[in-house]
């Protein structure tokens, strides 16, 4: 761990539990998410993103940290607000933006849309748009890992509002009694869609204050600090891989944009956004890296490399055709087709 | 007479009933302060206050269960389920609790409530936010099921639903929220269980619901103008109670029946009505009844794809034209 | 409160918070439930009880205590195991047995069956056979009471197994945030159907250990002690009537019979039933009454009066006709009929 | 060849598949130690051990969600939902998750699982424990739906369901559990999507499913013996995939169609098949197709009442006799 010094400028990097290579990865992932999402927003303003979309601007540290802490074989279960978690597993920006733009180069060729990003080859087992549905599903993936003894972990991301739906409760108990290797990650961004979470929740910490109801440890972490999230993730993964069962982690964070593209977020009290922007996870992390003695130019070159990649992805998406009619009737069933009769 | 959007008609209908009857309360996710994700309930919180208009947690079972308990004990709740697809997370209330309580208790328990929900495709939201699930509800004995196609019908049928002593599932079509229409001034109360002949015609009966109504009307125009075929367009409006008299009356005049359904193909209201019609009017029919539906697939998200699967005026025209052999 | 003395024979009754009249009522209600249920079992053996039935033998103290603590206007929401709670509100044994025997004199004339006992005139707003469904429904009834300012309380009974279903979680949070006057009563009889609750639950006390997840007090009470339950009920009712919101009460108890008429309960470890029978709530309560100086003959005459009533009810049911065909098509809709078309 | 009950056929089918494939696991409420509330899974725990055969909490959403997650990642789960009515508390998985995941992900996600559930009336359990809800599932694009009527079909279709790469909802009829039938020795694997003509006949086609199959057969005997009417009885067996070739082939020979459904009247499989048949074979039909169903009401508990509402052989005989005008 970094030693706290009064100056906080020169640190013993070799002695740090995270290390420079991983830190740069954490930084890069946050940048990829930030820039890809900002681009998605711009494309929406140009009417090139169709349907709905839910950005994670301001919440990048969580996806980046978990994505970095996961190893191949670990499985991600995301929500409609899942661009970040999908990108964090290494899925290409082009295929994500392509799906948002409902083009043929999209991750699912436009059949799923922004709320259902899935890339099985990257371990992203789906993004789920019905609140709570994927918590039990993640338990099932963890059951396979346990049954087959793979040591893999299922990681399930969801919001504060999701803690009030029945499936949350069933999944937590189920995971606990079977000691499943699943990590439940609640991103508490203070709001469900437009309603503040504290107005509809009986406890202050919607996830952490309920951990005890499933015999689990109470864990609250600063979700805008990628290092803190990374360390928490590693501890939970170690527990899961050791056969000691699930964890429930509440990450405190804030979304900078509205709930979805349709939302100007007028329900937020004045100054709230500004206060949180001071704790913008990317800003915080850049300072952290500098305090560890990493040159500004290193970060700037990452920023630029990511910008070039996002630009190239954007161009590729703009040039990509619409999905063709013939995929309408494929993959309803495993035989590749949709026939329900002979 | 004022021009109103379908969206604003929802708020007007709710407001009309809440102003009339203190026992009417309204709750759902983000419906109060934010006025609903479809902005269909804007202003109600200001008008009726935070005791009667309430935001809930994301707890659909609690929402519908609480609505039922309140209805049993003297209130007339209106509950919102944001997207009709989410009826799946509280289906027990819709399928097993609301519709059976009166019967099981030999008439002791009443359940006068309305569940409003955003139904249907067209917003490029994908397979879990675009379904037409009115047939899920039509299947269940004990429910009433309504799906208006115009702003005036929204106000009148919503008022009728609130005043109805039975549980009513009220399907608002998401792709109609922005549509405008003339709505008479003053109190409007329509009648559940009444279909409406929107366009008379002698060559065939075309049944449609919600978003399919304007499409059927557009098809009728084309059929008349380009093919000399005069179809009678009937807006079914209410699946339960079902106005079979109007439907069979029309078929008795036209001798041909077409249904235009947004829901996927199997076991929809079209299948039910066709089955009734053939059983009761077989010898009146000059040819097979034909269902025009969305194919039996989950809905794709992409605009390019979604536009290909719902029945369009062109597909309706083509199907009717071919079936009538002209 | 009764003063504890070494002899425990002479007590200062006048000083007791419950008092003799209420205690005799508690005793009588337990007897009514016990004898009516034993009769139901006998009638089942004679093939006169049709369908399923779920007895509360051994759990009578809970229903009796709540039924006694409730006042007119308060509303009961019961489960399939609801004979006890229905009888505890004063519904006649004949109408309950009649429903179990599926006769025309049954509470719902055979249309509902044993799992759906309902008597709105007695405040019994239904018995629900889908696990968990009635917890949100009870919230709704409490909402009406709150909205109309009646001061009435909704009381919702359910089992330990029910705490693991989603509706439990949603209802508890909902009741807590709206401070609804509802009292949730978990009868922990150690088993769901045939599976021991501890095998499928992440915490020791399935209800009480979760109260904190809804900002509620942890309450565990001896469910075989009618006095203890009565006092707990009164406190919860007072809280609800004062506008201070819901309570969740876990009553520890045991069912003497199988889960339902089909169940010989072979899954129970040897000696468990016997140990609990030593703590049979009626036996315990009879001793308690004696220790308060109430003559044995008083209890015996209650027993006999109840026995005569149950006998008479049995005869009336045996003599009652089957329900007539014409009620098949009544009361689907509020117009009295079942027409779904014109 | 052994005589087996329908109940024991369930356990045999599961055991056959679990013995064949280590990836098959089985869980549900009270299914392991107690062998299920219908005693249909007795012995499996002993044979396959507590890792593969597991009791769950009362958490139907967790059961089906976990089954789905396990299926996506390489296992072949069989999950039990005790009574089919309880599909309502986990309907989101059946309606929105299982059937849409493959399509939405453009084929990336697979969902090879089986949900077994006790369906149907006859046990005097009342409105929330007696429903026939196979039509709830037939409506949903992406599912497969099976409902066997005999012990041999139970084994063969259950094996086919477990081996099928898609989600299959497997309806076992509670009133058939005690019924006995001959089951061939050795491994049995049947084919989904195949109807079976159980009795040939030239005068009318009678379609039936599950408990209605023996009733249709009994009616056929009476019709032949007492009225000289020879009906062809077809056990539909599988609603999705649906064997319309066999059904239309039969109607092409008999020119009359009757369906015998236990589910309530509206939007059942009968309505769907009648609608397909009239659209595709209208001119082949000598008279209106007729649906014989349970009336559209919640089910009463009392034996005296319940016996009056399900289609009986007598009602089937009477309806067919009258419709054929003899
Ligand atoms: C069952 C269900 N109910 C409601 C919705 C609509 N909805 C979509 S996102 C959302 C808010 C979710 O809040 P939270 O869990 O905090 O996640 P966040 O969006 O803040 O990331 C709601 C209510 C839904 N998709 N599914
Ligand atoms: C949703 C649902 N799942 C399963 C069942 C079947 N079932 C009926 S009673 C029961 C056990 C309930 O246990 P508990 O809550 O402890 O109540 P008890 O029967 O012990 O009083 C089960 C699983 C049901 N009725 N509803
Ligand atoms: Mg949130
Ligand atoms: Mg129990």
């Amino acid at each position: 761990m970094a030693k706290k010094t009064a100056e906080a400028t020169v640190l013993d990097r070799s002695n740090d539990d995270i290390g420079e290579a991983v830190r740069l990865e954490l930084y890069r992932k946050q940048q990829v998410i930030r820039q890809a999402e900002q681009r998605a927003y711009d494309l929406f303003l140009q009417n090139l993103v169709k349907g709905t979309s839910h950005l994670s601007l301001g919440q990048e540290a969580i996806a980046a940290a978990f994505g970095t802490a996961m190893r191949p074989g670990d499985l991600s279960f995301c929500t409609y607000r899942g661009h970040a978690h999908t990108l964090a597993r290494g899925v290409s920006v082009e295929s994500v933006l392509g799906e948002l733009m409902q083009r043929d180069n999209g991750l699912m060729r436009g059949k799923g849309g922004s709320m259902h990003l899935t890339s099985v080859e990257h371990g992203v087992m789906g993004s789920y748009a019905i609140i709570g549905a994927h918590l039990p599903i993640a338990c099932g993936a963890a059951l396979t890992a346990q049954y087959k003894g793979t040591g893999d972990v299922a990681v399930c991301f969801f919001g504060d509002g999701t803690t009030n739906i029945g499936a949350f409760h069933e999944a937590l108990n189920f995971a606990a009694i079977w000691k499943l290797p699943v990590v439940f990650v609640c991103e508490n961004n203070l709001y469900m869609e437009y309603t503040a979470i504290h107005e509809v929740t009986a406890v202050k910490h919607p996830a952490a204050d309920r951990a005890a109801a499933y015999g689990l440890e109470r864990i609250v972490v600063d979700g805008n600090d990628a290092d803190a999230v990374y360390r928490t993730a590693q501890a939970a993964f170690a527990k899961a891989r050791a056969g000691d069962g699930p964890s429930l982690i509440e990450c405190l964070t804030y979304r900078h944009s509205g709930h979805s593209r349709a939302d100007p977020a007028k329900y937020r009290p004045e100054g709230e956004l500004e206060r949180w922007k001071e704790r913008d996870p990317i800003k915080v992390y850049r300072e952290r890296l500098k305090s560890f003695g990493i040159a500004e130019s290193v970060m700037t070159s990452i920023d630029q490399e990511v910008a070039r990649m996002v630009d190239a992805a954007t161009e590729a998406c703009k040039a990509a055709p619409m999905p063709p009619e013939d995929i309408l009737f494929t993959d309803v069933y495993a035989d590749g087709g949709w026939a329900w009769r002979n | 007479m004022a021009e109103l959007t379908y969206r604003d008609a929802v708020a007007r209908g709710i407001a009309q009933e809440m102003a009339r009857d203190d026992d009417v309360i309204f709750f759902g996710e983000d419906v109060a302060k934010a006025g609903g994700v479809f902005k269909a309930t804007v202003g109600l919180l200001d008008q009726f206050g935070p005791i009667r208009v309430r935001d809930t947690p994301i707890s659909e079972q609690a929402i519908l269960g609480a609505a039922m308990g309140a209805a049993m004990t003297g209130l007339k709740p209106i509950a919102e389920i944001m997207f009709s697809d989410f009826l799946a997370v509280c289906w027990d209330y819709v399928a097993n609790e609301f519709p059976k309580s009166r019967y099981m208790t030999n008439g002791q328990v009443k359940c006068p409530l309305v569940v409003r929900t955003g139904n249907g495709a067209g917003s490029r939201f994908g397979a879990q936010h675009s379904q037409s699930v009115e047939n899920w509800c039509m299947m269940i004995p004990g429910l009433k099921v309504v799906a208006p196609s115009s702003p005036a019908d929204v106000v009148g049928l919503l008022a009728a639903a609130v005043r109805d002593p039975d549980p009513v599932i009220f399907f608002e079509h998401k792709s109609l929220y922005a549509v405008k229409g003339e709505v008479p001034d003053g109190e409007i109360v329509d009648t559940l269980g009444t279909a409406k002949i929107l366009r008379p015609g002698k060559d065939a009966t075309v049944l449609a619901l919600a978003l399919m109504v304007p499409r059927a009307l557009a098809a009728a125009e084309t059929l008349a103008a380009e093919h000399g075929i005069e179809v009678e367009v009937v807006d079914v409006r209410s699946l339960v109670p079902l106005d079979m008299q109007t439907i069979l009356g029309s078929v008795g005049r036209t001798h041909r029946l077409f249904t235009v359904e947004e829901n996927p193909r199997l076991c929809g209201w079209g299948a039910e009505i066709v089955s009734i019609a053939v059983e009761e009017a077989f010898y009146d029919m000059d040819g097979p009844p034909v269902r025009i539906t969305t194919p039996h697939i989950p809905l794709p998200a992409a605009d390019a794809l979604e536009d290909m699967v719902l029945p369009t005026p062109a597909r309706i025209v083509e199907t009717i034209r071919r079936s009538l052999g002209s």
Side-chain angles (χ1 to χ4, degrees), chain B residues 292-295 308-320:
Chain B
I292 302 163
T293 71
T294 297
M308 289 184 230
V309 288
L310 299 211
T312 55
R315 177 141 71 93
I316 300 168
V317 167
E318 186 57 17
T319 308
I320 294 178

Side-chain angles (χ1 to χ4, degrees), chain A:
Chain A
M1 180 108 36
K3 282 177 199 146
K4 288 204 179 138
T5 68
E7 310 94 319
T9 42
V10 183
L11 287 130
D12 179 6
R13 284 200 249 156
S14 63
N15 213 6
D16 184 77
D17 62 325
I18 294 181
E20 181 168 328
V22 170
R23 280 223 166 76
L24 288 176
E25 179 65 12
L26 286 167
Y27 180 77
R28 215 188 74 88
K29 276 198 202 300
Q30 292 185 78
Q31 270 297 339
V32 170
I33 298 168
R34 172 68 52 95
Q35 294 196 33
E37 295 230 278
Q38 258 162 350
R39 181 57 49 86
Y41 188 72
D42 296 344
L43 290 166
F44 155 56
L45 293 178
Q46 296 163 41
N47 199 28
L48 286 168
V49 162
K50 305 296 171 54
T52 183
S53 61
H54 303 79
L55 305 180
S56 299
L57 294 173
Q59 307 184 194
E60 295 90 345
I62 302 163
F66 273 93
T68 304
M70 289 169 83
R71 67 181 197 197
D74 291 340
L75 300 173
S76 307
F77 291 83
C78 319
T79 70
Y80 51 89
R81 195 182 305 290
H83 315 159
H85 314 84
T86 301
L87 292 167
R89 295 302 301 281
V91 176
S92 79
V93 173
E94 177 187 332
S95 61
V96 169
L97 285 183
E99 192 65 26
L100 268 62
M101 292 166 73
Q102 309 195 333
R103 304 287 172 123
D104 201 33
N105 68 337
L107 253 185
M108 298 93 76
R109 302 184 71 188
K111 285 172 84 167
S114 81
M115 297 203 284
H116 298 292
L117 297 178
T118 304
S119 180
V120 169
E121 69 173 300
H122 295 89
V124 181
M125 299 307 288
S127 300
Y128 297 78
I130 308 267
I131 293 291
H134 61 314
L135 282 80
I137 297 172
C139 290
L143 180 61
T144 302
Q146 186 187 63
Y147 186 79
K148 302 221 171 199
T150 60
D152 296 331
V153 172
V155 184
C156 183
F157 302 95
F158 54 90
D160 44 282
T162 302
T163 61
N164 289 325
I165 203 161
F168 167 87
H169 179 66
E170 295 192 12
L172 266 291
N173 184 63
F174 202 85
I177 57 168
W178 289 9
K179 285 195 172 244
L180 297 175
V182 53
V183 177
F184 296 103
V185 183
C186 177
E187 303 190 21
N188 182 354
N189 61 9
L190 310 189
Y191 292 89
M192 30 188 274
E193 296 211 359
Y194 313 146
T195 301
I197 191 66
H198 70 83
E199 291 180 20
V200 294
T201 311
V203 287
K204 179 154 181 257
H205 284 287
D209 288 348
R210 284 151 171 177
Y214 313 103
L216 300 177
E217 191 190 338
R218 185 181 191 286
I219 303 174
V220 181
V221 60
D222 178 353
N224 282 17
D225 179 339
D227 285 351
V229 178
Y230 180 78
R231 289 191 188 98
T232 310
Q234 283 197 310
F237 291 178
K239 179 183 172 200
R241 295 197 216 284
D244 293 332
S247 299
L248 172 61
I249 299 169
E250 180 169 327
C251 305
L252 300 180
T253 188
Y254 194 79
R255 64 169 149 72
H256 292 172
S257 55
H259 166 73
S260 69
R261 50 171 272 181
D263 172 27
K266 296 214 182 110
Y267 42 82
R268 305 200 278 213
E270 199 150 342
E272 187 179 79
L273 174 60
E274 291 64 32
R275 277 195 308 282
W276 277 92
K277 277 201 165 167
E278 284 164 24
R279 300 204 48 256
D280 179 322
I282 295 183
K283 196 170 110 182
V284 166
Y285 209 66
R286 228 181 134 95
E287 290 307 314
R288 171 92 39 88
L289 293 186
K290 281 200 277 178
S291 78
F292 274 83
I294 300 175
E296 180 107 38
S297 62
V298 176
M299 278 80 87
T300 306
S301 80
I302 292 177
D303 298 352
Q304 287 166 349
E305 173 224 320
V306 170
R308 279 191 299 275
M309 189 257 290
V310 170
D311 284 343
T314 307
E315 291 316 307
C317 290
K318 284 183 178 167
M322 297 297 158
E325 179 164 7
D326 60 19
I327 68 167
L328 265 180
F329 298 102
T330 60
D331 290 316
V332 176
Y333 290 110
D335 64 7
W338 69 298
W340 50 269
R341 61 171 282 196
N342 63 16

Side-chain angles (χ1 to χ4, degrees), chain B residues 216-288:
Chain B
L217 286 169
E221 292 301 321
T222 308
L223 283 164
E226 296 179 14
H227 305 283
I229 298 173
E230 294 293 340
V231 299
E232 182 148 302
V233 178
V234 181
D235 183 349
V236 179
R237 302 200 321 153
S238 169
L239 294 177
V240 183
L242 182 63
D243 185 1
M244 279 309 299
Q245 276 179 14
T246 298
I247 293 167
L248 289 172
S250 178
V251 173
R253 288 189 300 274
T254 66
H255 310 294
R256 287 301 293 257
L257 174 62
F258 296 86
T259 61
V260 187
E261 289 172 84
E262 181 173 334
N263 48 251
R265 191 161 186 83
L266 302 196
C267 300
W269 58 263
E272 182 57 40
I273 294 178
V274 163
S275 300
I276 298 171
V278 291
E279 183 163 340
E280 300 183 16
F282 186 77
Y283 300 104
D284 261 356
M285 292 201 184
D286 287 346

Side-chain angles (χ1 to χ4, degrees), chain B residues 26-134:
Chain B
F26 172 51
F27 50 87
E29 294 162 18
D30 306 300
V31 299
K33 280 200 196 143
V37 299
F38 303 116
K39 300 285 169 243
T41 58
V42 171
L44 295 172
L45 173 64
D46 285 348
Q47 194 177 346
F48 300 103
I51 305 291
R52 294 182 68 195
V53 178
R54 293 179 100 154
D55 287 318
T56 67
I58 309 175
S59 305
E60 279 80 3
Q61 296 192 75
I63 294 170
L64 292 197
M68 177 169 167
M72 287 168 63
T73 50
L75 299 184
K76 302 273 263 163
I78 305 173
E80 175 176 308
I81 296 298
M82 197 184 286
F83 287 71
S84 65
D85 314 68
F86 309 162
L87 289 175
V89 300
C90 47
W91 186 237
D92 184 49
Y93 292 93
V94 184
N96 288 334
E97 311 297 341
F98 301 165
K100 295 178 171 62
S101 59
R102 183 183 289 271
Y103 186 81
M104 291 195 306
T105 62
N106 195 35
Q108 293 182 68
V109 165
K110 59 188 174 178
C111 190
L113 58 82
V114 178
V115 178
R116 293 177 43 243
T117 187
N119 196 44
S123 312
R124 292 74 173 89
F125 283 168
Q128 292 184 338
H129 280 70
S130 307
Q131 296 171 87
S132 286
V133 305
E134 62 279 357

